[in-house]
Amino acid sequence: MRLATSPNITGLLKAWASGNNSALEQLTPLVYDELRRIARRHMRQRSRQTLQTTALAHEAYLRLVDVEGLCWQDRAHFFAVAAQMMRRILVDAARARGAAKRQGGALRVTFSEEIAIPAGQDASLLALDDALAALARLDARKARVVELRFFGGLSVDETAEVLKISKDSVMRDWRLAKPWLAREVARGERHGA
């Protein structure tokens, strides 16, 4: 899979950032389907309900449209920011559900190629978010790789494009970040975080 590749996306993003509202109207159909694809890849492991995927994509899009003063570099930059938005939306929703209903029991995060967290594992998502924040303090690029791949649902190729690094670097960062995050999540479980 690849990011939306229309050559107009970068131009439309820049025109929109300059205040051209008609550029936003032209941009919407070009990027919305891609946002839904990214949301679907992430939500596939959390739920099979299309409405939740659509809601995630829609909320991310609405937040992106409301961003002011951001100078869009290109389509890769746009989709990287979208991945961050999706992370915040998912984590905020998990925190809200956790505040409403505290869960007991052990946390479990399953690290696979997509780092799948099954539905109902809000506590694991929060633990992963905390561990990812800790990783970002130590190695921002590794944290961005995980964020783009897990929260943004981007492939290795897409992540390399967004970060402007090689595919080998993405894979190396991915391989090193996964066990580090698993250890931090487990440490959080032992300490009740």
Side-chain angles (χ1 to χ4, degrees), residues 67-182:
V67 172
E68 292 183 17
L70 184 61
C71 183
W72 297 108
Q73 299 167 9
D74 53 26
R75 63 180 169 61
H77 179 229
F78 177 84
F79 289 113
V81 173
Q84 289 176 330
M85 291 284 185
M86 288 184 191
R87 174 184 176 194
R88 290 282 32 108
I89 291 164
L90 291 168
V91 169
D92 290 348
R95 287 190 199 285
R97 284 188 299 271
K101 179 175 105 178
R102 297 288 175 212
Q103 295 180 9
L107 301 177
R108 183 170 186 271
V109 176
T110 304
F111 288 96
S112 68
E113 188 60 22
E114 294 181 349
I115 313 181
I117 296 179
Q121 295 286 331
D122 290 338
S124 293
L125 181 62
L126 297 176
L128 176 60
D129 184 60
D130 291 342
L132 193 54
L135 177 59
R137 289 189 293 274
L138 296 173
D139 191 325
R141 190 177 84 185
K142 283 182 183 63
R144 290 286 290 141
V145 166
V146 172
E147 182 177 60
L148 291 170
R149 302 229 38 233
F150 178 60
F151 289 98
L154 274 61
S155 68
V156 172
D157 291 343
E158 293 165 337
T159 302
E161 178 184 348
V162 168
L163 297 178
K164 296 177 178 31
I165 60 176
S166 72
K167 292 185 281 188
D168 288 341
S169 293
V170 170
M171 288 306 299
R172 185 173 37 258
D173 286 352
W174 182 247
R175 280 191 307 270
L176 293 171
K178 287 191 309 182
W180 190 92
L181 288 168

Side-chain angles (χ1 to χ4, degrees), residues 27-43:
L27 181 66
T28 298
L30 296 175
V31 299
Y32 192 75
D33 286 342
E34 186 67 19
L35 291 175
R36 287 195 68 225
R37 182 192 67 82
I38 292 169
R40 187 172 32 256
R41 282 181 67 187
H42 178 70
M43 297 300 288

